[in-house]
């Protein structure tokens, strides 16, 4: 495949960025999107140019490090992570636009790499349980109803990639935060911090400069793990409940 | 609790949802009452007079009406203030646009802000036109039937009203469903019901309100 890439290039956080155009040839449809970028970077390095910086780690769809907006869609045209997106989703001769996540709370570090540490601070604000853990407990010691276990698993799938923020017209982190709040909130192990968790995590989310939810639904469409929009509804319910109980 | 709510994006949205639902409930009643215009001037004017006597003898003449007005003004102020503050925050949270643009979300969703502004401006005009009569040439207090017919006998009266009612339909379509999510009432199993209800409310309100100017325009009401 022969492709034209228009890639966001930005030297550092302070510099102005712009789209740069590159041609790549000899791309196999079986390559992942990141392998295609590796091919481009090899050529750039051979030419003595600065390779395109982008985030990646596991390359198997579980770590949440990869993060590209491809032709206006977070993680590109398929509902998966960029590392699991294959070039067969594109046509020979296509022009592809590649941009970083855009949100005030996710400043660009270089090229396509953004700083997502705001997510870490939201987790620090309440995305944990306070019970001492240690080795795995006996599985039947704390019974968990099946529907609750299913709901917890569904929300636990969030890999913290930030596609929801990138897709949201308000740069809101509601889907991510709600996935974390609900994941722990429905389990008996997370019950002691049920109220403080949602209040503290939402407060941190606001403090980081994320926007608010207007129920546009773009986040849930972009989420590679299928976290549902109703996750936000559930967090809203938890929040109002906790605010009523708070003294 | 009030502080927790008003100082967070989630809580402020809950204030918008509650104030929006209060206005929505009022509008359903208002629309229904308006339809009495099709039964002639005596029925309509008598209905308008009755509105001022609700709750008598416990409530004095017009007291109930004033209670309703105070609640509505509070709802409008809370709703518009929260809308303004949240919108400013949302725009700040997303300062850089994508170079590769594509339409995001549905039409009703994207028009909430401008639609809301149109509704706010309409509200001011509507009160000056049919409540106080300030912008209404030849306004006769106590004769609402005559005043309504006069308003809808002008092209601008009709134009302003029709535009506002379309904006209302779109606003309610996304607004009602959104309020259910904001207040935590939505779920996967209940979604079809909520979407249907939102569409139905939007349609019934828009058609019900528009029936009055259409009635005047077609000569059914004169
Ligand atoms: C003063 C004029 C108004 C303004 C400036 C305004 C503005 C807004 C804005 C900006 C939103 C949020 C949009 C979003 O989340 O995408 C909204 C939501 C809403 N509006 Fe209005 N609006 C106005 C009048 C009304 C009226 C008259 C009603 C009653 C039918 C109404 C009912 C609602 C409802 C139910 C919501 C949903 C709240 C939620 O998402 O939880 N609004 N409005
Ligand atoms: S909710 Fe989905 S899109 Fe958002 S961070 Fe988690 S996995 Fe990524
Ligand atoms: S690189 Fe780990 S999810 Fe894509």
């Amino acid at each position: 495949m022969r492709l034209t890439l228009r890639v966001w290039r930005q030297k550092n956080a302070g510099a102005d960025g712009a789209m740069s155009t590159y041609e790549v040839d000899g791309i196999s449809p079986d390559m992942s999107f990141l392998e295609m970028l590796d091919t481009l970077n090899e050529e750039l390095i051979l030419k003595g140019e600065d390779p395109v910086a982008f985030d990646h780690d596991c390359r198997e769809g579980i770590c949440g490090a990869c993060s590209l907006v491809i032709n206006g869609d977070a993680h590109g045209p398929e509902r998966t992570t960029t590392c699991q997106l294959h070039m067969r989703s594109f046509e020979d001769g296509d022009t592809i636009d590649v941009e970083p996540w855009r949100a005030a709370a996710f400043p660009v570090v270089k090229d396509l790499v953004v700083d997502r540490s705001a997510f870490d601070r939201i987790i620090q604000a309440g995305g944990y349980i306070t019970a001492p853990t240690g080795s795995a407990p006996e599985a039947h010691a704390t019974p968990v109803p099946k529907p609750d276990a299913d709901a917890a698993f569904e929300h636990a799938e969030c890999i913290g990639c930030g596609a929801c923020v990138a897709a949201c017209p308000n740069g809101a982190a509601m889907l991510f935060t709600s996935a974390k709040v609900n994941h722990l909130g429905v389990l008996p192990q997370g019950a002691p911090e049920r109220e403080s968790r949602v209040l503290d995590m939402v407060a941190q989310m606001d403090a980081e400069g994320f926007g608010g939810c207007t129920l546009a639904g773009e986040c849930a469409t972009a989420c590679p793990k299928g976290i549902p929009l109703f996750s936000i509804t559930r967090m809203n319910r938890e929040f109002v409940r906790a605010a009523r109980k708070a003294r | 609790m009030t502080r927790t709510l008003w100082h967070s994006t989630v809580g402020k949205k809950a204030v918008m949802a509650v104030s929006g639902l209060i206005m929505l409930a009022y509008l359903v009643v208002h629309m229904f009452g308006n339809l009495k215009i099709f039964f002639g001037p005596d029925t309509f004017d008598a209905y308008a007079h009755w509105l001022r006597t609700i709750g008598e003898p416990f409530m004095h003449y017009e007291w109930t009406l004033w209670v309703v007005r105070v609640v509505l003004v509070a709802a409008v102020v809370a709703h518009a203030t929260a809308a303004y503050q949240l919108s400013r925050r949302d725009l700040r949270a997303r300062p850089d646009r994508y170079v590769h643009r594509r339409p995001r979300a549905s039409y009703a969703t994207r028009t909430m802000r401008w639609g809301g502004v149109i509704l706010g401006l309409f509200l001011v005009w509507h009160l000056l036109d049919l409540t106080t009569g300030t912008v209404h040439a030849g306004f006769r207090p106590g004769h609402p039937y005559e005043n309504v017919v006069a308003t809808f006998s002008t092209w601008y009266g009709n134009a302003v009203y029709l535009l506002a009612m379309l904006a209302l339909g779109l606003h309610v379509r996304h607004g009602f469903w959104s309020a259910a999510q904001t207040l935590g009432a939505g779920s996967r199993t209940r979604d079809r019901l909520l979407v249907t209800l939102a569409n139905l409310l939007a349609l019934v309100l828009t058609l019900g309100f528009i029936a009055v100017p259409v009635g005047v325009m077609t000569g059914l009401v004169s």
Side-chain angles (χ1 to χ4, degrees), chain B residues 79-174:
Chain B
H79 195 82
T81 309
Y84 173 77
Q85 293 180 353
L86 285 173
S87 297
R88 284 227 12 206
R89 187 191 168 90
D90 293 348
L91 295 175
R92 266 205 311 269
R94 186 59 176 291
D96 303 303
R97 288 165 171 267
Y98 290 110
V99 174
H100 191 110
R101 303 253 184 99
R102 61 174 189 76
R104 286 182 187 276
S106 75
Y107 188 73
T109 311
R110 280 182 282 132
T111 49
M112 286 304 272
R113 286 179 196 148
W114 276 112
V117 170
I118 290 177
L119 286 176
L121 293 176
F122 168 75
L123 188 65
V124 173
W125 180 82
H126 186 60
L127 292 175
L128 294 178
D129 179 35
L130 287 170
T131 306
T132 64
T134 318
V135 297
H136 190 119
F139 183 78
R140 288 187 62 198
H143 292 82
Y145 187 91
E146 222 182 289
N147 296 330
V148 168
V149 172
T151 285
F152 294 131
S153 303
T154 62
W155 69 265
Y156 56 86
N158 286 321
V160 168
Y161 197 87
L162 292 181
L163 177 74
M165 290 311 106
L166 288 180
L168 177 69
L170 285 173
H171 202 82
V172 168
R173 186 176 179 197
H174 181 67

Side-chain angles (χ1 to χ4, degrees), chain B:
Chain B
M1 173 185 159
T2 330
R3 272 185 67 86
T4 317
L5 286 179
W6 189 252
H7 289 285
S8 86
T9 50
V10 176
K12 202 166 281 189
K13 197 78 202 290
V15 172
M16 283 194 78
V18 171
S19 54
L21 290 177
I22 290 174
M23 291 189 278
L24 188 60
Y26 168 77
L27 287 180
V28 171
V29 176
H30 186 24
M31 183 275 292
F32 209 72
N34 285 358
L35 295 179
K36 296 206 170 36
I37 199 141
F38 290 100
F39 300 100
D42 295 343
T43 313
F44 193 69
D45 290 353
Y47 165 69
H49 176 76
W50 171 79
L51 285 178
R52 284 153 179 79
T53 65
I54 299 175
E56 280 183 359
F58 179 66
M59 297 298 261
H60 190 67
Y61 183 76
E62 282 202 345
W63 278 15
T64 310
L65 195 64
W66 275 106
V67 170
V68 172
R69 283 171 174 168
V70 168
V71 170
L72 283 176
V73 168
V76 171
V77 170
H79 195 82
T81 309
Y84 173 77
Q85 293 180 353
L86 285 173
S87 297
R88 284 227 12 206
R89 187 191 168 90
D90 293 348
L91 295 175
R92 266 205 311 269
R94 186 59 176 291
D96 303 303
R97 288 165 171 267
Y98 290 110
V99 174
H100 191 110
R101 303 253 184 99
R102 61 174 189 76
R104 286 182 187 276
S106 75
Y107 188 73
T109 311
R110 280 182 282 132
T111 49
M112 286 304 272
R113 286 179 196 148
W114 276 112
V117 170
I118 290 177
L119 286 176
L121 293 176
F122 168 75
L123 188 65
V124 173
W125 180 82
H126 186 60
L127 292 175
L128 294 178
D129 179 35
L130 287 170
T131 306
T132 64
T134 318
V135 297
H136 190 119
F139 183 78
R140 288 187 62 198
H143 292 82
Y145 187 91
E146 222 182 289
N147 296 330
V148 168
V149 172
T151 285
F152 294 131
S153 303
T154 62
W155 69 265
Y156 56 86
N158 286 321
V160 168
Y161 197 87
L162 292 181
L163 177 74
M165 290 311 106
L166 288 180
L168 177 69
L170 285 173
H171 202 82
V172 168
R173 186 176 179 197
H174 181 67
F176 178 78
W177 177 85
S178 289
Q181 311 309 321
T182 302
L183 299 176
S187 74
R188 205 174 266 140
T189 45
R190 218 180 285 157
D191 200 47
R192 286 237 334 236
L193 176 74
L194 285 170
V195 168
T196 312
L197 219 57
N199 289 343
L200 205 70
L201 259 174
L203 199 70
V204 168
L205 271 182
T206 308
L207 292 182
F209 276 123
I210 282 181
V212 178
V214 169
V216 177
M217 279 190 264
T218 54
L220 215 63
V221 175
S222 61

